[in-house]
Amino acid sequence: GAGVSQTPSNKVTEKGKYVELRCDPISGHTALYWYRQSLGQGPEFLIYFQGTGAADDSGLPNDRFFAVRPEGSVSTLKIQRTERGDSAVYLCASSLVGGAGETQYFGPGTRLLVL
Amino acid sequence: AQSVTQLDSQVPVFEEAPVELRCNYSSSVSVYLFWYVQYPNQGLQLLLKYLSGSTLVKGINGFEAEFNKSQTSFHLRKPSVHISDTAEYFCAGGRGHDYKLSFGAGTTVTVRA
């Protein structure tokens, strides 16, 4: 079956602009996660959704970052007033129910470059 | 939160030679651990995971890892590598009821003929 998909695959924007990154999880997966991977580092947790609600947004770096999942499937990560430091690969993952130790399936990521 | 450290940033290895990638974690309480592989321009793919039980975990593509509680380690091994094993490898962990993963910085494996 289809895996996790993310669009766009690459996004170039200017400092101060607004961007939206989209994630389509595996069909039937109720849990969805966003991570951010900076150059030379491992992914860092941003936010976790269980269904439509954000169960844990403790990893969001500041209030410029926001994510939604209105129908419990597709999720959008929104970044306002982008800064050069936001440049990174944004990864989305999904899992069946969101339990501890459950396998998270990752998408290919969106590479964001803020000029 | 679980903290994970990968001890080698780069590991060059010749084809058909064995390889070991080292990973240490910070807590021994209700820990669970993963190894993921990232091929160029692809997403992270699960190689194997440890939740409980047998400390020797076998994964895909001939990889295995051993959970060592006394040394707080979860090293990944493969007895004979192929050119196609060239990739970046990430160790990740979580603790207790925590669903979010903490990742190491990654180890780049380059297999040469």
Side-chain angles (χ1 to χ4, degrees):
Chain A
V4 177
S5 62
Q6 294 185 245
T7 53
S9 54
N10 292 281
K11 176 71 177 178
V12 181
T13 191
E14 294 179 342
K15 180 176 178 294
K17 299 290 188 182
Y18 168 83
V19 296
E20 289 189 351
L21 312 179
R22 177 188 167 105
C23 172
D24 269 284
I26 293 172
S27 178
H29 280 194
T30 63
L32 186 145
Y33 314 78
W34 284 97
Y35 291 82
R36 179 169 71 173
Q37 186 176 13
S38 300
L39 194 62
Q41 298 182 24
E44 293 179 300
F45 171 81
L46 295 177
I47 187 169
Y48 159 64
F49 285 90
Q50 180 55 257
T52 60
D56 183 352
D57 63 358
S58 63
L60 294 178
N62 51 60
D63 61 6
R64 294 187 297 106
F65 289 75
F66 189 70
V68 295
R69 194 186 185 200
E71 297 178 358
S73 179
V74 170
S75 176
T76 304
L77 178 66
K78 307 180 181 192
I79 310 174
Q80 299 176 323
R81 304 183 305 280
T82 52
E83 300 177 357
R84 292 192 180 88
D86 298 334
S87 296
V89 177
Y90 289 81
L91 299 171
C92 177
S94 69
S95 65
L96 190 58
V97 293
E102 195 178 1
T103 299
Q104 295 179 23
Y105 297 88
F106 284 81
T110 293
R111 188 175 300 274
L112 176 66
L113 177 61
V114 182
L115 300 176
Chain B
Q2 184 66 264
S3 173
V4 172
T5 303
Q6 292 183 243
L7 302 174
D8 310 288
S9 59
Q10 297 194 31
V11 173
V13 59
F14 285 106
E15 193 175 20
E16 298 183 8
V19 70
E20 178 180 81
L21 308 184
R22 298 180 293 165
C23 173
N24 285 94
Y25 63 93
S26 65
S27 170
S28 59
V29 177
S30 299
V31 67
Y32 51 92
L33 295 156
F34 301 78
W35 275 99
Y36 280 88
V37 61
Q38 188 173 34
Y39 299 106
N41 299 316
Q42 294 187 30
L44 293 162
Q45 179 182 354
L46 181 71
L47 279 177
L48 49 81
K49 67 180 181 182
Y50 171 80
L51 300 182
S52 64
S54 174
T55 57
L56 183 63
V57 181
K58 293 191 181 297
I60 62 171
N61 300 340
F63 284 93
E64 64 180 32
E66 186 160 15
F67 174 71
N68 188 318
K69 188 173 181 178
S70 63
Q71 297 186 10
T72 61
S73 68
F74 189 58
H75 300 336
L76 180 71
R77 301 184 182 95
K78 185 170 182 177
S80 176
V81 296
H82 302 291
I83 298 289
S84 59
D85 292 322
T86 294
E88 185 142 24
Y89 293 78
F90 291 95
C91 182
R95 186 175 65 175
H97 62 275
D98 205 354
Y99 35 76
K100 56 191 174 190
L101 297 178
S102 295
F103 283 83
T107 298
T108 302
V109 173
T110 304
V111 182
R112 298 170 180 154

